[in-house]
Amino acid sequence: PGPYGPYGATGQQQPPMYPAPGAPGGGGGKNNKMIAIVAAAVAAVLVAGAGVFFLTRDDDGDDKKDESKGNNSQGSQGSQRGGADPKPTSTKGDELFSIDDPEVKDYTKVPGAWATDKVFAKTGLKELLVVDLKTNQQKKPVKLRGEVCGASNGMTKRHEVGLVVRETVSSKASCNHMVVVNIETGKIVMDEKMPNAERESSNENVAISGDTVASAWTGGSAAYDIPSGKELWSAKPSNCRDEGYAGGKHLYAVTRCGTDYDKPQYTVQRLDPKNKGKATWKFKVPKGVKSINIASTDPLVLAVGTSSRSSSVSDLMTVGEDKALKARIPLDKKYVSPCYYQGVDSCYNIAVGPDTVYLATKEHSGQADYGRTNEIMALDFNSGNAKWKAEAGEKRSFIPLRMQGTNLIAYKLPDYQGGGEVVSIEPGKGKQTRLLQLPASRQGSGEQAFNISSSSLRMPLLWEHNRLFLHKANLLKKRDSGYTSPFSKLAAGFGAE
C-alpha cells in the first residue's frame, strides 16, 4: 500500500477515479458493497427501461480482411512500443517541473496525461495544461468548454488527443462533446456534439486509433474522423451495444448483446473505421465472463471478471490472430490486478510484448527484518506459464510501465531511504539497467507527492524520451479546517539533471 499505508499520511482514504462497483485494489468495505448494489440496480433499470440498446455499426464482416491501419505513438496501455530512446547521458535525475493542485469544491476528475519529446500535457479544470519540455515552463493553457469527463490513453501521429468534455462550465452539464486537441500546437482541431448524449453525466471511454476517435457510454456510441470531425458511425436502437473502445494499432470494441443483465453475451471486435466501423475480426468471449477490460490491443490481452457481484478482474485472457483463446491466467492472490476500475481501456499495471505478458506480484515479506518486496513475472503469451522473473530487491517494489523495443521498462517505487528508479529489464534472466535514479524526497514532495502504490494504479505512469511523468486522475475538496493534504501536486516531470 505504499510507504504511508493505504490511506496516505493523512489517514483519509482516497476515492476511486470513478465510483465503479467493486473497483479492484481499492478496499472500501461496506461502502464499496453499497456502491456496487446501487450501481447494479441502476444498470438493471437502464436495461429494463430501454428494452434494447444502440448499435448501428455493420458488424457482419467477421471473416473479411482487416484493412484498418493504426499509427498511434501511444497505444492502449500494455501495448508494445517499437524502438528505443537514445541511452541517457546521465542516470542521475531530479524533478524538472511540477504543477500544483487547483482548488476544487467537490470531488473532480482530471483524467489524461500525454508526453512527446517537446511537451507534457495534463488535463486541469476546464483546460488542458501544457509544459514546454525545453524550458520546463507552462505554456498558455488550452481553454475548454467545461470539465473533462474522459480522455484517450493514446494520441495520433500528429500528437492529437481525444477528450469527452462537458457541454458548459457547470459541473452538472452533460458529457456530450468530443474534443480533439493537438498538444504541441495547443489548437482545438475538433469539437463535435455526440448524439444521444444529452443526459450523459460521466462518460469516461475515449479511444484513438489512427485518425479515428471513438467513445461509448450507457446510451450509445459514436466515432469521428480526425481532424475533419466527420461522423463515421453513431448509435441507434438494437439488441447489442458497444460497451467501450480501446485504441492503438487497431480499434477494438467490446460489444455486449442480450437483455439478461446476469448473462451477457460478449464479443471483442476489431473495427474498420473507414467502412462505418464494420467488424473485420471477432473473438467470442467464453461464457461466464461478467466484465471485460482490454489490457493490450497489440497483441490482444483481455482482463476479465467472472463474478456477478463484483467488477474486479479475476483472469487474463490472451487471444491470437487466429481468434483462438491462447491462455487463461488466473490472478488469484499472487498477482496485482492490472486494472484499477471497470472500464474497457483502463488497465495500467501491465506491459505486453509480442509473446510475453508482464505482471507485478503482490508485495510480500523478503529476507530483511522489515519492509516488503515484489517481483515482475514474465508469462508466456501462448501458454500462460512463467518464463522468468525480475526481482525488485529487498524493501523495494516495482511496476511494469511498457515495452521499449524488446526490453521491459519498470518503475521502482521510492522508499524511506532513497528515491525511485526507472529500469530497463532484458528478457530472459531479467537483467536490470538503471535509466533514471531520483533523489530521496520527503512526504508531499517529489515522487512522494503522488502516494503511488504498487497494488493499484489509478492512472498510467508515463516514460517518454528518458523522462518520467507522474500525475493524478482526480482531485479532492480542501478540508474546511484549512488543512492542505501533503499530496497536493497535480503532475510532475522527472529527468536527468
Side-chain angles (χ1 to χ4, degrees), residues 321-343:
E321 278 296 301
D322 58 358
K323 308 174 189 176
L325 176 62
K326 299 301 181 182
R328 186 162 184 163
I329 304 169
L331 298 181
D332 296 326
K333 297 181 179 180
K334 182 175 183 179
Y335 298 111
V336 172
S337 173
C339 317
Y340 179 69
Y341 73 111
Q342 186 178 13

Side-chain angles (χ1 to χ4, degrees), residues 5 26 90 106 145 155 160 172 189 231 355 393 400 434 497:
S90 171
D106 201 353
R145 61 172 58 245
M155 66 178 83
E160 297 153 334
K172 297 181 180 180
V189 299
E231 183 181 290
D355 57 6
R434 180 186 295 161
E497 296 177 327

Side-chain angles (χ1 to χ4, degrees), residues 173-443:
S174 298
C175 299
N176 62 4
H177 274 258
M178 178 68 78
V179 178
V180 175
V181 183
N182 187 307
I183 61 172
E184 290 199 341
T185 66
K187 293 182 179 180
I188 295 176
V189 299
M190 193 188 98
D191 186 344
E192 298 292 333
K193 187 173 181 178
M194 297 185 295
N196 306 310
E198 288 78 6
R199 298 180 182 179
E200 176 59 47
S201 61
S202 58
N203 178 21
E204 294 187 338
N205 178 243
V206 192
I208 282 180
S209 178
D211 291 331
T212 302
V213 60
S215 178
W217 57 96
T218 302
S221 58
Y224 299 89
D225 175 70
I226 305 171
S228 70
K230 177 184 176 182
E231 183 181 290
L232 300 176
W233 69 82
S234 61
K236 75 175 184 181
S238 169
N239 189 45
C240 300
R241 70 182 178 104
D242 288 345
E243 285 211 330
Y245 300 103
K249 181 179 179 181
H250 302 292
L251 180 65
Y252 281 91
V254 172
T255 301
R256 174 177 178 150
C257 295
T259 57
D260 191 335
Y261 182 76
D262 292 325
K263 296 180 180 179
Q265 303 168 27
Y266 282 117
T267 59
V268 177
Q269 304 181 3
R270 184 183 297 168
L271 309 182
D272 181 2
K274 295 181 180 179
N275 195 9
K276 298 182 180 180
K278 177 180 289 187
T280 60
W281 183 100
K282 294 181 185 179
F283 171 70
K284 187 175 181 180
V285 179
K287 293 181 179 180
V289 170
K290 308 295 184 182
S291 63
I292 299 180
N293 299 56
I294 296 181
S296 168
T297 59
D298 184 25
L300 183 62
V301 179
L302 308 179
V304 305
T306 56
S307 172
S308 59
R309 296 183 179 181
S310 172
S311 61
S312 61
V313 174
S314 58
D315 303 85
L316 293 185
M317 291 182 176
T318 61
V319 184
E321 278 296 301
D322 58 358
K323 308 174 189 176
L325 176 62
K326 299 301 181 182
R328 186 162 184 163
I329 304 169
L331 298 181
D332 296 326
K333 297 181 179 180
K334 182 175 183 179
Y335 298 111
V336 172
S337 173
C339 317
Y340 179 69
Y341 73 111
Q342 186 178 13
V344 168
D345 199 16
S346 60
C347 297
Y348 311 129
N349 209 338
I350 186 173
V352 181
D355 57 6
T356 309
V357 177
Y358 299 94
L359 284 177
T361 66
K362 292 185 177 181
E363 290 185 351
H364 56 82
S365 298
Q367 299 298 319
D369 293 335
Y370 65 93
R372 310 278 283 176
T373 186
N374 81 333
E375 299 80 34
I376 293 177
M377 298 296 297
L379 306 173
D380 185 81
F381 182 89
N382 291 300
S383 68
N385 296 331
K387 299 168 68 173
W388 52 271
K389 68 178 179 180
E391 299 179 348
E394 293 298 326
K395 306 177 186 178
R396 303 299 295 268
S397 60
F398 57 1
I399 297 168
L401 296 185
R402 63 168 176 80
M403 301 304 296
Q404 185 168 287
T406 59
N407 286 5
L408 170 69
I409 303 298
Y411 172 52
K412 194 169 291 187
L413 301 174
D415 63 6
Y416 295 108
Q417 285 78 37
E421 296 179 56
V422 177
V423 296
S424 176
I425 305 175
E426 294 181 19
K429 296 183 179 180
K431 178 184 177 182
Q432 300 179 31
T433 301
R434 180 186 295 161
L435 301 179
L436 187 67
Q437 171 68 64
L438 298 181
S441 57
R442 299 187 307 275
Q443 174 185 341

Side-chain angles (χ1 to χ4, degrees), residues 8-89:
T10 65
Q12 181 181 10
Q13 187 178 17
Q14 306 295 304
M17 181 192 297
Y18 174 70
K30 294 182 179 179
N31 289 338
N32 274 6
K33 291 181 180 179
M34 181 61 69
I35 291 172
I37 294 170
V38 172
V42 171
V45 170
L46 288 173
V47 172
V52 291
F53 268 107
F54 303 79
L55 191 65
T56 59
R57 292 190 296 98
D58 182 359
D59 64 347
D60 61 0
D62 188 17
D63 295 317
K64 295 183 180 180
K65 182 180 179 181
D66 177 13
E67 297 178 350
S68 62
K69 296 181 180 179
N71 52 7
N72 264 29
S73 60
Q74 280 180 268
S76 179
Q77 295 303 315
S79 297
Q80 183 184 19
R81 174 184 166 190
D85 293 323
K87 188 175 181 179
T89 55

